[in-house]
Amino acid sequence: MSERKALLILHGKQALNEQVRAAVEARRAAGWELAVRLTWEAGDAQRLVGEALAAGYQRLVAGGGDGTLRDVAQALADAQSPCSLVLLPLGTANDFARAAGVPLEPAAALDLLDVPARPIDLGEVDGEVFLNMATGGFGSQVTANTSEDLKKVLGGVAYLFTGLSRFAELSAAYGELQGPDFHWHGELLALGIGNGRQAGGGHELCPQALADDGLLDVSILPAPQELVGTLKNLLAGGMAIDKLFVRTRLPWVEIKASRGLDINLDGEPLQGDRLRFEVRPAALQVHLPADSPLLGGAG
């Protein structure tokens, strides 16, 4: 199969995106044989990846939001295929792509087809992988909107608890996290386990994460007594909420939660009271900018 041949798996709602159409035509004019397949319902991305691999494609393009990128990454990881991946970010948040320095303009993103692929890690929990981040909170009711009261107290930081995780209530519960040379337990409000750096549309829960270091960055927001009053005082005094986080970097971490844990894996919900997160080192070949902030680890 030609080295300049690729398949674009495009989220169905982007079918009429004129910028995407123009970008595809530009790649074709530059000598690329670029086919396009659309998703319609759950499972389509995985099926299309399987069909592409069976047809011998060596490069795939995932066009959509963080959930679409995760679906394609999951299928490639499950197939243990050397096929490489280009990210075409078309979602609302595009958290992994933004952190990785992938252009948000379709034509510039597809230019990465000509950039050599680099191995990056994936996160995994209960057989499910995540490209960007697992986010969650304990004892919280999952809803679609951020609490207005929470916005008044925390401003934009409120989206740490909502956004991708969709938590509307500031409610803490007891949790315990265990990893190599690491043990933490106590009341907490929010958690980020990152292969990437940000979630919820740009909030950096794991600001130092690298996607090729063979480790997951863990960020915990503890829940001190009289939390809301404490945060009000901190913010009024000009102190960043970032100083409240407990952070570490681990190849794996096990979590026990007294009342169950609601987790969001790049848009996919997961729940459990005992979960083990692990890194899959160098599990995926991805075409990222040479100066990507997420590159520079062990890989």
Side-chain angles (χ1 to χ4, degrees):
M1 177 169 287
S2 169
E3 292 184 0
R4 293 174 65 82
K5 184 172 183 176
L7 177 72
L8 166 59
I9 298 175
L10 184 65
H11 193 288
K13 71 179 182 180
Q14 300 293 336
L16 300 180
N17 187 320
E18 291 300 326
Q19 283 190 310
V20 172
R21 183 176 293 274
V24 169
E25 293 300 332
R27 286 292 87 200
R28 289 171 174 170
W32 278 86
E33 185 178 340
L34 183 55
V36 181
R37 301 290 184 271
L38 298 176
T39 65
W40 174 256
E41 56 193 354
D44 280 356
Q46 292 88 335
R47 174 178 57 79
L48 290 171
V49 168
E51 292 175 359
L53 296 180
Y57 280 95
Q58 297 299 308
R59 285 184 179 88
L60 296 182
V61 182
D66 289 317
T68 298
L69 303 187
R70 192 207 75 87
D71 286 346
V72 174
Q74 172 92 57
L76 285 174
D78 289 346
Q80 298 183 336
S81 169
C83 181
S84 60
L85 181 64
V86 170
L87 311 181
L88 178 58
L90 300 170
T92 301
N94 301 312
D95 281 304
F96 185 83
R98 288 178 187 272
V102 174
L104 301 184
E105 198 276 322
L110 289 184
D111 284 345
L112 291 174
L113 279 165
D114 294 313
V115 174
R118 297 277 295 274
I120 68 167
D121 309 328
L122 291 173
E124 180 180 7
V125 55
D126 287 356
E128 297 291 324
V129 306
F130 55 98
L131 179 64
N132 183 46
M133 189 177 297
T135 58
F138 290 84
S140 299
Q141 178 184 1
V142 181
T143 68
N145 300 306
T146 305
S147 162
E148 292 300 321
D149 291 337
L150 189 57
K151 287 181 185 178
K152 291 177 183 177
V153 175
L154 301 181
V157 181
Y159 290 96
L160 291 175
F161 307 99
T162 56
L164 293 182
S165 299
R166 299 170 296 177
F167 293 104
E169 294 182 358
L170 193 60
S171 175
Y174 182 85
E176 181 177 3
L177 287 83
Q178 182 88 40
D181 299 318
F182 177 78
H183 182 234
W184 187 95
H185 61 91
E187 297 285 325
L188 58 84
L189 286 167
L191 173 70
I193 301 176
N195 190 44
R197 295 183 176 182
Q198 63 186 54
H203 298 286
E204 291 192 331
L205 279 83
C206 302
Q208 302 301 318
L210 295 172
D212 62 349
D213 62 353
L215 298 168
L216 294 172
D217 280 44
V218 179
S219 286
I220 305 163
L221 182 61
Q225 291 184 347
E226 305 298 335
L227 175 79
V228 173
T230 299
L231 292 180
K232 280 183 177 178
N233 293 335
L234 286 173
L235 294 173
M239 187 178 297
I241 191 175
D242 189 70
K243 296 181 182 297
L244 296 175
F245 278 91
V246 174
R247 291 193 168 103
T248 188
R249 187 172 288 134
L250 302 168
W252 58 267
V253 62
E254 292 181 344
I255 302 174
K256 302 175 186 176
S258 60
R259 296 200 298 265
L261 171 60
D262 290 299
I263 281 288
N264 188 298
L265 301 177
D266 297 349
E268 291 295 318
L270 179 69
Q271 187 178 53
D273 56 12
R274 183 186 291 259
L275 297 170
R276 179 183 172 96
F277 293 82
E278 300 182 68
V279 68
R280 287 195 193 180
L284 193 65
Q285 296 286 330
V286 182
H287 299 262
L288 296 179
D291 60 351
S292 171
L294 293 185
L295 299 177

